[in-house]
């Protein structure tokens, strides 16, 4: 006498593909959330311009984040600051040149290397935002 046991790999493979898709979607959403958080904290740390009726000036208005991109097993994105005035990138100068020369921001609570500092200080929170978005997507698709 023989009793046979069968395991359907197709259903299992389909579940793995759905889980992988949910993880990617959650990661993209989480990276978007993390970039928004990074942009906000970088804006709050950026030096404040001295322009009448424009608190923060051109620099703070020109801090933005990219759209997350998926490729080669990674999801990438960045926060950028490009405050051009007559061909001169004030954001680049403050962040990379002036800070390297030892200059300091005039307003308390602001720093010249605002992009780097906000990333470093917020890294653990950004990681949690990504993890939470992945968990939420898996839950939304009924996989937890």
């Amino acid at each position: 006498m023989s009793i046979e046991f069968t395991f359907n790999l197709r259903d299992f493979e389909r579940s793995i593909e759905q889980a992988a898709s949910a993880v990617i979607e959650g990661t993209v959403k989480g990276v978007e959330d993390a970039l928004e958080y990074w942009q906000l904290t970088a804006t709050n740390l950026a030096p404040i311009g001295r322009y009448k009726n424009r608190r923060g000036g051109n620099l703070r208005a020109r801090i933005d984040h990219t759209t997350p991109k998926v490729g080669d097993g990674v999801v990438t994105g960045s926060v950028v600051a490009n405050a051009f005035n007559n061909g001169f990138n004030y954001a680049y100068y403050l962040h990379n040149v002036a800070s390297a020369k030892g200059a300091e921001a005039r307003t308390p609570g602001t720093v010249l290397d605002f992009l780097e500092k906000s990333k470093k200080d917020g890294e653990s929170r950004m990681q949690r935002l990504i993890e939470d978005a992945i968990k939420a997507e898996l839950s939304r698709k009924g996989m937890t």
Side-chain angles (χ1 to χ4, degrees), residues 21-36:
S21 174
V23 167
I24 291 169
E25 289 175 36
T27 302
V28 170
K29 173 68 173 118
V31 168
E32 176 73 25
D33 294 345
L35 291 173
E36 287 175 4

Side-chain angles (χ1 to χ4, degrees), residues 50-107:
R50 310 242 186 260
Y51 304 99
K52 188 175 184 175
N53 298 324
R54 283 188 0 187
R55 178 113 170 112
N58 193 34
L59 174 62
R60 285 186 167 201
R62 299 291 180 215
I63 299 173
D64 202 0
H65 68 278
T66 62
T67 301
K69 291 184 176 44
V70 180
D72 295 329
V74 296
V75 179
T76 60
S78 58
V79 172
V80 295
N82 290 310
F84 283 98
N85 188 10
N86 296 326
F88 176 74
N89 189 342
Y90 183 61
Y92 177 85
Y93 173 78
L94 285 179
H95 197 275
N96 296 335
V97 179
S99 63
K101 290 181 178 181
E104 294 181 11
R106 289 183 246 165
T107 306

